[in-house]
Amino acid sequence: MSLKAETVSWSAGGRLIVDAVDLEVMPQEFLGIIGPNGSGKTSLISLLAGIRPPKSGIVSLEGHPLAKSTRRDIAQRIALVEQQAETTERITARQAVELGRTPHLGALSPWSGRDTDIVARALDHVGMSDFADRMWHTLSGGERQRLHIARALAQQPQILLLDEPTNHLDIHHQIGLLELVRGQPLTVVAALHDLNHAAVFCDRIAVMDRGRIVALGTPTEILTEERILAVFGVAATVEHDEDGSCFVRYRRPRPKLHLISDTMKRHDHAR
């Protein structure tokens, strides 16, 4: 299932946050969105999810504008895992995941054994089956994040949108979660901070800077030393393996000469 943004813009507080973005997500691909803080990644994810209506332009699903679809229709096809999605309700881990079944329930389709099985599989996928009866407020940030992923999987979407999904997770669970998502028969769009995660798991990468997509392509096309320096202001070496993959190795910034001089002066004065 394809998802497309056509000249999409969105602003807040009089400032343009997403600026005339054109982007087509291909069926079954894992598309990563990278960029510095404030570049518009989260806002673009929200627009693609239909949470926010664009100021201008169109977001469409299989050629049908999201603006003409109901929230229920969208939720049956698109699942969103946000950065900060919390609840003050006293619910268990299992009940949090059960919320993913809401778009599929109704007067003519009440909760059934099939829904129970779907929730159980989702909990198992993220390694949280043993936590199913724990209360939400007793769980760590990483455990809650894994449950958000489980809730999205229980939703049985065709498109999964993730906004920095590895936040609060240790490195083992970061890799495990992205590998899990990569293995699903889904179209995936994920805003990612870690460039090496993008290199390993993404089919294509879109680079955002100041609200615009400034580059789009495969990881090896996108993750170049010149682009990393231009967009992130970080010096890096990009290593390429024989299998076509790449790895970003960051370099320590060189101390500024005036800082070294000031430090030496203070040291001499102390003597």
Side-chain angles (χ1 to χ4, degrees):
M1 177 166 282
S2 63
L3 184 62
K4 189 174 184 179
E6 299 176 80
T7 323
V8 168
S9 296
W10 184 77
S11 58
R15 186 168 71 92
L16 196 59
I17 307 297
V18 177
D19 184 7
V21 164
D22 288 302
L23 179 67
E24 183 171 8
V25 188
M26 306 308 294
Q28 302 288 299
E29 83 166 324
F30 193 132
L31 174 71
I33 302 176
I34 64 172
N37 288 342
S39 60
K41 302 187 299 295
T42 293
S43 297
L44 179 58
I45 290 284
S46 296
L47 291 165
L48 293 175
I51 300 296
R52 292 170 172 163
K55 177 183 178 182
S56 61
I58 297 173
V59 178
S60 58
L61 183 63
E62 289 290 282
H64 183 74
L66 290 188
K68 295 183 179 180
S69 300
T70 66
R71 283 303 316 155
R72 178 185 175 92
D73 287 341
I74 294 172
Q76 288 178 348
R77 294 167 175 82
I78 300 176
L80 168 65
V81 176
E82 300 177 88
Q83 260 188 79
Q84 301 292 337
E86 292 299 337
T87 179
T88 58
E89 299 292 331
R90 291 186 63 82
I91 60 175
T92 65
R94 180 184 288 105
Q95 289 170 330
V97 178
E98 286 174 352
L99 293 173
R101 299 303 302 154
T102 302
H104 302 280
L105 303 176
L108 300 179
S109 53
W111 189 274
S112 68
R114 178 174 177 271
D115 298 297
T116 300
D117 291 342
I118 289 170
V119 168
R121 284 199 300 272
L123 283 164
D124 184 59
H125 273 324
V126 299
M128 290 294 289
S129 295
D130 292 341
F131 294 74
D133 295 322
R134 286 268 302 273
M135 297 302 296
W136 178 267
H137 70 276
T138 68
L139 300 168
S140 70
E143 289 163 349
R144 293 179 186 183
Q145 185 71 346
R146 288 155 66 191
L147 288 172
H148 284 312
I149 299 292
R151 186 265 308 157
L153 294 179
Q155 202 169 321
Q156 291 194 308
Q158 292 164 297
I159 296 176
L160 181 60
L161 304 179
L162 306 167
D163 187 11
E164 296 180 16
T166 56
N167 272 5
H168 310 298
L169 299 180
D170 59 44
I171 187 63
H172 172 76
H173 286 111
Q174 288 178 22
I175 299 299
L177 184 145
L178 292 172
E179 184 64 33
L180 166 68
V181 169
R182 171 79 188 185
Q184 301 300 309
L186 298 169
T187 302
V188 179
V189 182
L192 299 170
H193 259 318
D194 192 311
L195 301 187
N196 284 312
H197 285 170
V200 171
F201 293 101
C202 296
D203 298 305
R204 290 192 301 158
I205 298 173
V207 183
M208 288 199 76
D209 192 18
R210 301 174 188 177
R212 300 184 67 90
I213 291 182
V214 296
L216 176 65
T218 65
T220 53
E221 291 170 340
I222 294 304
L223 297 175
T224 65
E225 297 169 7
E226 295 78 13
R227 182 168 287 116
I228 292 169
L229 181 60
V231 174
F232 295 94
V234 175
T237 300
V238 180
E239 301 174 359
H240 296 269
D241 291 333
E242 293 180 358
D243 62 1
S245 62
C246 63
F247 178 81
V248 179
R249 189 181 301 279
Y250 303 105
R251 298 202 295 267
R252 287 184 63 184
R254 294 180 178 178
K256 294 182 179 179
L257 292 178
H258 74 274
L259 293 178
I260 295 175
S261 177
D262 289 346
T263 301
M264 293 177 65
K265 287 177 182 178
R266 286 196 298 271
H267 180 69
D268 290 342
H269 180 74
R271 288 194 301 175

